[in-house]
Amino acid sequence: MSDVTKEDVLAVLSKVRGPDLEGDIVSRGMVSDVFISDNKVYFSITVPSERAQELEPLRIAAERSVKAMPGVKGALVTLTADRKAGSSPPPRPQPPSSAGQSHGHASGHSHPPQREKAGVPGVGAIIAVASGKGGVGKSTTAVNLALGLQANGLRVGILDADIYGPSVPRLLKISGRPQQIENRIIKPMENYGLKAMSMGFLVDEETAMIWRGPMVQSALMQMLREVAWGELDVLVVDMPPGTGDAQLTMAQQVPLAGAVIVSTPQDLALIDARKGIAMFRKVEVPLLGIIENMSYFLAPDTGKRYDIFGHGGARGEAERIGVPFLGEVPLTIDIRERSDAGTPVVVSDPQGATAEIYRQIAAKVWAELGGRAPRQTPAIVFE
Ligand SMILES: Nc1ncnc2c1ncn2[C@@H]1O[C@H](COP(=O)(O)OP(=O)(O)OP(=O)(O)O)[C@@H](O)[C@H]1O
């Protein structure tokens, strides 16, 4: 079968139009440069930032029509925010509202004292992975970060706090119900050496959908305290997307040692990332840093990188607000496919460059938590 060309892709895209947009997305100049590598197609669609959410169906429609083309092996389409002429930098963030709340630090040793919250016995540090908005790859990052920490010799668990849209069961390919071991205590599920708990193991999504605030809170506390986590160096909490009241309460109730913010490089996502940072500052949770996900395209065959999404936005943002920058994860079909197949790249391609990126990010997170060298797994001795 002949190779897919840019012209073929643009011809298909010129039939895609938004719900109330006049003309098609190609003639309106909304389609970025199109990259094709190994018959996988990558591009972005530029939309006004305030309409990004409502135009998600447009992204899906464009992705579908390209995927349906003969010879196309995959397509990855993202929405990017419309930069106004002159490409002005994003507005400066507001300083924290009161003195003594700044957690920016360079050394990793200047975390403010934590307000007293009961910890979880046996669990060393609980860290939150959060994003200001959905779809930036927070769950994929949380899972690969947890596996990266583990690959660095740590004992790790992951708690999926997204009650309404749990993704950990799928990302770790775990199904079934957890076993009850005593009274109210249940055993965490496990795959790839990672202990995991998610609402997805306990109730179906329709049931969770009708739950209200207090029920969600108590479900979360149960998953934290009534699960036999055992001895863990780190428990990674995959937070629900957004920065509303539910997230705020959660950040307040869980005894967090720190938070990691996942953002894409676009202005749009950075505005939301800033909200996430402000939220953790408000509840005095130290910010371990920002990860830029979908930072640049990495062509699978040539390994060539393409900075088409304004790569580096999160690094600049981290510098501006004095939060550590933890690293850049490229946008690759490989990450998406492995993640969606429940075989995260850190365990399914441990020798690959992407797995190395996650392990390095994990090492930085661990250093920010206190700078200790990764613990070697102790040998098990039978007396
Ligand atoms: N670096 C990446 N390269 C390619 N695809 C990615 C990358 N990171 C995430 N994805 C893909 O993007 C999609 C959204 O990712 P994910 O579910 O992790 O996002 P999320 O921010 O947790 O979303 P939500 O908050 O809506 O649950 C998934 O299909 C995932 O495989």
Side-chain angles (χ1 to χ4, degrees):
M1 200 179 297
S2 64
D3 280 347
V4 181
T5 67
K6 250 188 215 189
E7 288 67 36
D8 299 337
V9 173
L10 289 173
V12 166
L13 289 177
S14 66
K15 299 201 180 72
V16 176
R17 53 184 79 218
D20 60 338
L21 293 169
E22 283 166 26
D24 64 88
I25 57 175
V26 177
S27 60
R28 289 181 57 101
M30 296 167 73
V31 178
S32 73
D33 206 358
V34 173
F35 292 102
I36 304 171
S37 168
D38 188 22
N39 289 326
K40 294 175 180 170
V41 182
Y42 308 77
F43 61 92
S44 67
I45 304 173
T46 308
V47 298
S49 56
E50 69 282 358
R51 300 195 60 195
Q53 207 147 16
E54 110 197 50
L55 290 179
E56 174 64 12
L58 176 66
R59 187 194 69 76
I60 295 172
E63 196 170 83
R64 269 205 203 121
S65 26
V66 172
K67 272 188 181 158
M69 291 172 63
V72 166
K73 283 207 226 152
L76 204 52
V77 182
T78 56
L79 293 183
T80 60
D82 190 3
R83 282 196 183 223
K84 297 284 172 271
S87 225
S88 56
R92 285 191 160 273
Q94 294 300 310
S97 55
S98 65
Q101 283 200 336
S102 172
H103 301 320
H105 54 90
S107 69
H109 297 287
S110 54
H111 294 154
Q114 272 283 284
R115 208 182 317 144
E116 251 340 286
K117 269 179 227 146
V120 177
V123 176
I126 304 177
I127 62 169
V129 175
S131 65
K133 68 178 191 95
V136 300
K138 169 187 53 59
S139 300
T140 302
T141 309
V143 162
N144 281 296
L145 171 65
L147 290 165
L149 287 160
Q150 178 176 268
N152 290 348
L154 298 165
R155 297 164 300 181
V156 188
I158 185 160
L159 195 168
D160 184 357
D162 194 348
I163 306 284
Y164 298 123
S167 15
V168 165
R170 177 176 49 86
L171 293 177
L172 288 177
K173 221 199 296 188
I174 306 179
S175 55
R177 299 254 179 251
Q179 202 189 331
Q180 186 155 357
I181 42 180
E182 55 180 276
N183 278 342
R184 299 164 62 100
I185 307 293
I186 53 175
K187 217 173 134 190
M189 306 294 273
E190 197 169 323
N191 199 9
Y192 310 123
L194 210 61
K195 290 183 178 165
M197 188 43 69
S198 166
M199 220 44 209
F201 303 137
L202 303 172
V203 295
D204 55 49
E205 242 171 81
E206 290 79 54
T207 312
M209 281 316 264
I210 57 166
W211 284 15
R212 292 175 184 270
M215 286 167 83
V216 169
Q217 285 310 314
S218 81
L220 182 77
M221 286 305 128
Q222 279 174 23
M223 291 200 291
L224 193 63
R225 302 191 185 283
E226 294 175 12
V227 167
W229 288 109
E231 297 285 321
L232 294 181
D233 297 301
V234 186
L235 178 63
V236 174
V237 180
D238 180 10
M239 295 281 285
T243 49
D245 282 350
Q247 286 82 356
L248 189 66
T249 324
M250 204 169 280
Q252 266 169 326
Q253 293 192 351
V254 178
L256 294 171
V260 170
I261 306 283
V262 181
S263 178
T264 58
Q266 294 104 30
D267 294 354
L268 186 69
L270 287 168
I271 296 169
D272 294 299
R274 238 171 270 154
K275 286 188 205 149
I277 287 165
M279 180 185 87
F280 286 108
R281 282 189 165 151
K282 193 165 166 187
V283 294
E284 299 184 20
V285 170
L287 285 153
L288 302 172
I290 302 182
I291 299 175
E292 184 171 274
N293 188 35
M294 311 195 196
S295 187
Y296 50 91
F297 273 146
L298 201 56
D301 46 359
T302 58
K304 203 169 166 221
R305 62 186 273 174
Y306 300 94
D307 294 335
I308 68 163
F309 287 149
H311 139 259
R315 182 191 288 273
E317 182 68 13
E319 274 166 18
R320 266 194 293 277
I321 53 186
V323 169
F325 183 69
L326 297 168
E328 297 160 352
V329 179
L331 174 64
T332 70
I333 285 205
D334 197 39
I335 297 183
R336 170 170 283 194
E337 286 177 349
R338 286 174 194 270
S339 170
D340 296 349
T343 54
V345 67
V346 171
V347 283
S348 57
D349 183 22
Q351 307 301 328
T354 318
E356 177 58 21
I357 290 174
Y358 282 119
R359 284 193 298 268
Q360 281 181 10
I361 290 176
K364 281 199 191 144
V365 166
W366 185 240
E368 287 298 329
L369 274 170
R372 282 173 286 158
R375 193 190 58 88
Q376 291 303 310
T377 316
I380 300 169
V381 181
F382 293 99
E383 306 259 39

